[in-house]
Amino acid sequence: MYAIVDIETTGGHASANGITEIAICIHDGKKVVKRFETLVNPQREIPIYISALTGITNEMVKDAPPFEDVAADIYHLIHGKIFVAHNVNFDFSFVRYHLAAAGYDLQTNKLCTVRLGRKILPGLPSYSLGKLCKHLGIDNQSRHRAMGDAEATAELFTLLLNSDTDGHIKQSLKLGSKDQVLPPNLSKKDIDQLPYTPGVYYFHDQKGKVIYVGKAKNVKKRVSSHFTGNNPGFQRQEFLRNIHQISYQVCGTELIAFVLEAIEIKRLWPKYNRSLKRFENAFCLYAFEDQRGYIRLAVDKYRKYSDPIYTCNSLLDGYNLLNKLIETFDLCPKLCFIQKNNELCTGAAGSSCACEGVEPPESYNAKVNNAVDQLKQALPTYAIRDEGRTGDEHSCILVEKGQFYGMGYISHYFDANNVQQLKSYLTPYPGNDYIKNIVATYASKYPDRMVVFG
């Protein structure tokens, strides 16, 4: 038995919206044998644009029962049957959420007439309910009302049952079938083609634009995990509706996938990525010449298109580094913005310091340049040589003078002991402290995979 359900709501996600109308058609596999419909008081205002679409007004639902008063009837009608709807995850998320709020745990198999339509009736220009009904000659005089759409979906479902010569419906109901959890506009073929390897995957919208980038140790397993559960939140429901295609890049290691994900998020700026979008180098060490000709060092927030000497994770890290340079190279704490009062300079030179104009710019600047040169020379240059995508190659990541340079794949027979020669085989990419830190952490964990350049 099938429960064909359609609902009208106050908005697009269950956790912050109510149901205003629900209709259920019980279908025995041949025809509708029972019907149920009711308006529902959502106990919140119905937005004007929703009323314009459905025709359901606040006045109409004022005396209607709240959902909890009809929850028992709805649960007993649906329980034990296969839940069918056009874009089933939307209707199911609402009904299950509001049943749970009323104390009922709905657990049932689902069928989506959007997905089934694409499989059983391929090649149609649109699979929206209105366009399908028009194309197939299904009459629906009450569009955007629950019973009108439920009856139309029931007629569509009968047609799909009778046209399903390849057993798509039976296959969708099999234990472990992914069809019940996949987004309505995503083909199962996109899931079937995914590899069980490390990589980066891309979710595309209807126009092919990338809306999400992710990384994984096992691409197929990770992508499938996006579609499990029934989170009723707006962001998840909108996210699932907008996924139309999946593409991917195989990576040799999880580390390569981590780095490529960060690069691709910065390059593509996908709508649904959050965490790595805003990542920037936090603080940097800068050098500039003041009006008197003295080179001054300063720790400041990272500025785009600037040319820092060194990047730091925090202001404290920056000040610790600067204090070490002051002590080691006899620099002036006032000219480095460490000492900011008007008292006598606390540096080693004291009253004979450059800040007092005693030490000339030429000799002081030589000390600053020496400090900067020593700092840059201390930054490591190394490569991480690791597993490749195939058995006859290695992956390779290059860090040059402490900064991420790029990555790629090299032959087993390539001797990666010359930086300039190695760079010709790698693709350079923009880096940041996030990439630098995950590569450095990996290098410290697996020193045997490092090739250090002198």
Side-chain angles (χ1 to χ4, degrees):
M1 298 291 282
Y2 306 91
I4 298 172
V5 181
D6 191 85
I7 59 173
E8 302 303 332
T9 70
T10 62
H13 60 291
S15 60
N17 287 284
I19 294 172
T20 58
E21 188 176 39
I22 183 168
I24 303 169
C25 293
I26 303 301
H27 195 291
D28 65 1
K30 295 181 180 180
K31 62 183 183 302
V32 174
V33 296
K34 187 175 183 180
R35 292 170 175 82
F36 171 90
E37 69 174 317
T38 182
L39 287 168
V40 179
N41 187 334
Q43 299 181 309
R44 67 199 72 198
E45 289 291 308
I46 302 173
I48 294 174
Y49 67 93
I50 296 288
S51 290
L53 178 68
T54 65
I56 301 172
T57 64
N58 291 305
E59 185 66 26
M60 288 171 62
V61 299
K62 183 177 67 174
D63 297 322
F67 189 88
E68 61 184 21
D69 287 359
V70 293
D73 292 336
I74 291 169
Y75 176 76
H76 291 301
L77 268 174
I78 296 173
H79 178 65
K81 300 177 182 66
I82 296 164
F83 191 109
V84 182
H86 207 70
N87 188 4
V88 70
N89 287 325
F90 173 81
D91 297 80
F92 186 79
S93 69
F94 265 89
V95 174
R96 187 171 189 268
Y97 179 85
H98 288 286
L99 280 175
Y104 297 92
D105 181 22
L106 180 63
Q107 299 291 340
T108 180
N109 281 346
K110 299 176 292 180
L111 286 174
C112 179
T113 49
V114 177
R115 297 190 58 77
L116 291 175
R118 291 180 186 278
K119 291 181 177 182
I120 299 170
L121 305 171
L124 298 182
S126 172
Y127 289 88
S128 69
L129 185 59
K131 296 288 179 63
L132 269 177
C133 288
K134 185 176 180 180
H135 181 85
L136 299 171
I138 298 172
D139 186 36
N140 184 359
Q141 297 297 325
S142 300
R143 187 79 179 96
H144 297 302
R145 288 299 299 267
M147 184 51 78
D149 285 350
E151 289 275 17
T153 304
E155 194 171 339
L156 170 63
F157 185 62
T158 302
L159 190 152
L160 293 173
L161 281 167
N162 294 332
S163 305
D164 187 20
T165 55
D166 294 325
H168 291 293
I169 293 174
K170 184 178 179 181
Q171 183 65 35
S172 297
L173 292 172
K174 277 187 177 179
L175 188 66
S177 171
K178 293 184 176 66
D179 271 56
Q180 296 188 36
V181 298
L182 291 183
N185 298 307
L186 181 65
S187 169
K188 188 171 177 291
K189 291 180 181 178
D190 275 36
I191 298 294
D192 293 340
Q193 60 149 356
L194 297 174
Y196 294 95
T197 61
V200 169
Y201 57 90
Y202 307 80
F203 291 159
H204 302 257
D205 66 11
Q206 191 172 12
K207 295 180 179 179
K209 184 178 179 181
V210 174
I211 57 174
Y212 183 83
V213 176
K215 49 75 174 63
K217 187 175 183 179
N218 181 323
V219 170
K220 191 164 192 173
K221 184 177 179 181
R222 178 68 186 98
V223 168
S224 297
S225 73
H226 279 283
F227 311 133
T228 58
N230 286 289
N231 186 328
F234 169 74
Q235 184 176 334
R236 175 175 167 78
Q237 293 300 317
E238 183 194 56
F239 175 56
L240 294 177
R241 281 196 297 271
N242 284 333
I243 299 172
H244 285 252
Q245 291 177 303
I246 304 175
S247 61
Y248 63 90
Q249 287 194 59
V250 171
C251 298
T253 65
E254 189 178 13
L255 175 63
I256 294 279
F258 264 94
V259 174
L260 183 59
E261 178 202 37
I263 292 167
E264 291 291 71
I265 288 173
K266 283 298 223 180
R267 181 176 74 89
L268 297 167
W269 210 250
K271 179 179 179 180
Y272 292 105
N273 284 99
R274 297 288 186 268
S275 59
L276 294 180
K277 260 186 175 180
R278 306 297 174 187
F279 187 91
E280 298 285 359
N281 299 313
F283 292 90
C284 300
L285 179 65
Y286 292 99
F288 66 94
E289 186 175 309
D290 68 13
Q291 292 181 337
R292 296 187 301 158
Y294 290 95
I295 298 176
R296 307 188 67 170
L297 299 179
V299 176
D300 199 1
K301 287 183 178 179
Y302 171 77
R303 300 188 299 274
K304 273 189 176 182
Y305 314 115
S306 62
D307 186 23
I309 298 168
Y310 192 86
T311 60
C312 318
N313 288 328
S314 68
L315 185 62
L316 179 61
D317 287 346
Y319 281 144
N320 287 340
L321 172 65
L322 196 47
N323 277 313
K324 188 174 181 181
L325 294 177
I326 290 169
E327 182 180 351
T328 304
F329 296 95
D330 191 23
L331 304 183
C332 172
K334 283 192 172 183
L335 293 184
C336 293
F337 300 95
I338 294 295
Q339 183 182 345
K340 297 180 181 180
N341 56 36
N342 294 321
E343 297 177 8
L344 185 67
C345 180
T346 59
S351 59
S352 301
C353 188
C355 65
E356 303 295 331
V358 177
E359 183 178 9
E362 294 76 18
S363 63
Y364 181 77
N365 291 348
K367 292 192 295 184
V368 175
N369 288 329
N370 186 31
V372 172
D373 289 343
Q374 293 292 320
L375 179 61
K376 289 183 175 180
Q377 289 175 20
L379 297 174
T381 296
Y382 63 91
I384 295 178
R385 189 168 184 162
D386 214 329
E387 296 293 323
R389 299 162 299 185
T390 62
D392 59 354
E393 69 178 15
H394 279 142
S395 63
C396 187
I397 293 177
L398 178 63
V399 173
E400 186 176 35
K401 294 182 179 179
Q403 301 299 315
F404 171 73
Y405 170 81
M407 60 188 183
Y409 297 91
I410 57 176
S411 165
H412 273 309
Y413 305 104
F414 179 74
D415 188 10
N417 59 5
N418 181 290
V419 174
Q420 294 308 316
Q421 190 177 4
L422 178 60
K423 285 166 75 172
S424 66
Y425 287 87
L426 303 180
T427 302
Y429 291 105
N432 55 36
D433 274 2
Y434 171 80
I435 294 175
K436 181 178 75 174
N437 290 341
I438 62 173
V439 173
T441 300
Y442 188 89
S444 64
K445 188 175 180 180
Y446 301 103
D448 57 307
R449 299 174 193 179
M450 290 179 64
V451 178
V452 180
F453 300 97

